[in-house]
DNA sequence: CTTGTGCCCTGACCGC
DNA sequence: TGCGGTCAGGGCACAA
């Protein structure tokens, strides 16, 4: 469910709630959410550790636990919410971290696709998917020049949407924001990456930054299940340019927004504003 | 190298 | 109400 802006919103919330707090205990109600190591070791290592910092890499949350890193992948429906221990436990609660002072961090995940990892700090890159992630689109290293270099590394058949969705290329874009980025850049999802002009690469670059930053400013998009670490919905759904707007008029030109399958996912775009032909 | 498919799950929604 | 089909912010393995 959550893409970069949602995960970043959760990260900021958690950083405020959890930094410096001790994990007194962890309990699992669905141990298979633990991808590494086994739940027993996970619990043993967690107990008594201080949460030094909450970081984000792509769509993954990383909790620095002094020599150890806990990694959380929320996938489609995962949620991390901090609340008081006595608050009713929502359905699909799979893990609870006890923080003392009657506060808890709860991991709930309706579809159970989400995963937890706990590794010694230096092993994160090999024991979790984090090591395979591409560039962070909101960090300094992401520049027009960097994007142009990445373009040259793409194969001749690579289509824009599948390229942007590829976490090994850019970390953090998912199905909503790739569509939003492509609309903003005026580019068709099936455009071949190798055929993008210098100007189009620049346009794409600025669209990625703009769309992600705006969504973070709105605390993420709640189309379905997404909530922040306080359990509240985001605000960006009312600002979406094309995603989930099939048949509704394009906000720029009025043409009905079209939906089609691309790279295996529902893709929303404006057939007028995002043409496949080379623009002149 | 690239795309497409199926799969992991549960629940919401739609048409009949 | 019920039932079956389709769809869902992700990502992985596998086939063509």
């Amino acid at each position: 469910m959550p893409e970069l802006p949602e995960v970043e919103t959760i990260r900021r919330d958690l950083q405020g709630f959890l930094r410096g707090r001790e994990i007194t205990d962890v309990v699992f109600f669905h141990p298979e959410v633990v991808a590494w190591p086994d739940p027993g070791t996970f619990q043993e290592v967690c107990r008594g550790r201080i949460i030094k910092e909450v970081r984000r890499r792509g769509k993954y949350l990383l909790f620095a636990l002094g020599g150890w890193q806990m990694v959380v992948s929320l996938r489609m429906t995962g949620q991390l919410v901090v609340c008081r221990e006595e608050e009713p436990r929502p359905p699909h609660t799979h893990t609870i971290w006890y923080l003392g002072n009657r506060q808890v961090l709860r991991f709930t995940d309706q579809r159970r696709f989400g995963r937890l990892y706990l590794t010694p700090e230096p092993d994160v890159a090999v024991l979790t998917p984090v090591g395979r992630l591409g560039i962070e689109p909101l960090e300094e290293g992401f520049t027009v020049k960097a994007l142009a270099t990445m373009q040259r590394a793409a194969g001749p058949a690579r289509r824009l949407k599948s390229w942007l969705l590829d976490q090994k290329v850019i970390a953090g874009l998912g199905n909503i924001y790739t569509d939003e980025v492509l609309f903003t850049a005026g580019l068709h999802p099936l455009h071949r990456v190798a055929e993008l002009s210098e100007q189009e690469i620049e346009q794409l670059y600025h669209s990625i930054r703009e769309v992600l930053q705006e969504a973070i400013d709105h605390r993420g998009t709640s189309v379905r299940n997404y909530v922040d670490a306080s359990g509240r919905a985001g605000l960006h759904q009312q600002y979406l340019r094309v995603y989930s707007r099939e048949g509704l008029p394009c906000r720029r030109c009025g043409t009905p927004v079209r939906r089609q399958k691309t790279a295996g996912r529902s893709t929303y775009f404006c057939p007028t504003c995002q043409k496949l032909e080379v623009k002149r």
Side-chain angles (χ1 to χ4, degrees):
Chain A
M1 116 190 126
E3 307 180 29
L4 188 151
E6 290 75 37
V7 179
E8 177 61 18
T9 302
I10 294 169
R11 184 200 71 78
R12 292 177 184 186
D13 289 353
L14 292 180
Q15 176 84 341
F17 293 147
L18 303 182
R19 185 146 74 155
R21 301 287 297 273
E22 180 187 348
I23 300 174
T24 60
D25 202 2
V26 195
V27 292
F28 301 103
F29 301 93
H30 243 122
E32 70 265 31
V33 301
V34 181
W36 185 274
D38 60 282
T41 310
F42 197 111
Q43 182 187 48
E44 206 175 298
V45 173
C46 271
R47 278 187 185 144
R49 294 209 176 253
I50 306 292
I51 301 169
K52 310 272 189 194
E53 200 177 5
V54 185
R55 307 185 188 122
R56 180 192 56 76
R57 184 76 173 87
K59 302 174 195 170
Y60 296 82
L61 283 161
L62 290 81
F63 298 74
L65 301 181
W68 291 74
Q69 289 260 354
M70 181 169 78
V71 178
V72 179
S73 164
L74 298 169
R75 296 281 184 101
M76 296 284 266
T77 52
Q79 303 178 338
L80 280 175
V81 173
V82 174
C83 63
R84 301 202 48 81
E85 200 178 323
E86 56 268 24
E87 298 240 351
R89 191 190 307 161
H92 310 295
T93 300
H94 302 137
T95 310
I96 300 180
W97 290 263
Y98 289 85
L99 305 166
N101 220 0
R102 304 197 65 78
Q103 272 206 318
V104 289
L105 169 67
R106 288 180 180 152
F107 172 56
T108 66
D109 185 5
Q110 178 191 114
R111 295 176 73 179
R112 249 181 288 148
F113 291 167
R115 288 293 176 264
L116 310 178
Y117 305 80
L118 183 61
T119 78
E121 197 132 4
D123 298 340
V124 173
V126 276
L127 293 178
T128 78
V130 166
R132 294 191 292 270
L133 295 175
I135 199 163
E136 277 297 324
L138 292 182
E139 294 203 346
E140 280 185 15
F142 186 61
T143 58
V144 174
K145 210 176 154 190
L147 189 61
T149 304
M150 291 152 65
Q151 178 193 21
R152 277 176 247 120
R158 201 78 202 256
R159 310 278 185 172
L160 244 186
K161 171 129 181 178
S162 95
W163 191 56
L164 293 181
L165 277 176
D166 188 343
Q167 303 301 298
K168 297 189 292 300
V169 179
I170 297 172
L173 291 174
N175 205 37
I176 293 181
Y177 296 110
T178 49
D179 285 4
E180 296 293 294
V181 164
L182 290 174
F183 174 81
T184 304
L187 295 168
H188 194 283
L190 292 177
H191 203 111
R192 285 182 202 278
V193 174
E195 290 169 8
L196 289 169
S197 69
E198 222 173 288
Q199 197 192 349
E200 286 170 329
I201 283 287
E202 201 172 328
Q203 187 59 46
L204 184 61
Y205 170 83
H206 290 297
S207 301
I208 292 169
R209 301 279 281 222
E210 181 190 321
V211 164
L212 292 178
Q213 191 53 58
E214 195 186 305
I216 291 174
D217 293 342
H218 290 140
R219 301 188 55 80
T221 303
S222 295
V223 167
R224 237 184 180 85
N225 300 291
Y226 165 71
V227 291
D228 64 25
S230 304
R232 285 192 286 258
L235 305 169
H236 193 64
Q237 55 280 10
Q238 52 194 112
Y239 301 93
L240 290 175
R241 294 149 164 94
V242 279
Y243 186 85
S244 83
R245 291 179 48 84
E246 183 183 18
L248 295 174
C250 165
R251 295 193 194 272
R252 190 186 287 158
C253 76
T255 306
V257 170
R258 193 173 293 170
R259 173 163 76 133
Q260 69 182 35
K261 282 261 185 259
T262 305
R265 319 288 299 273
S266 263
T267 300
Y268 300 85
F269 68 104
C270 169
T272 304
C273 298
Q274 299 167 262
K275 291 212 179 292
L276 248 191
E277 296 85 62
V278 181
K279 281 175 294 190
R280 41 190 357 266

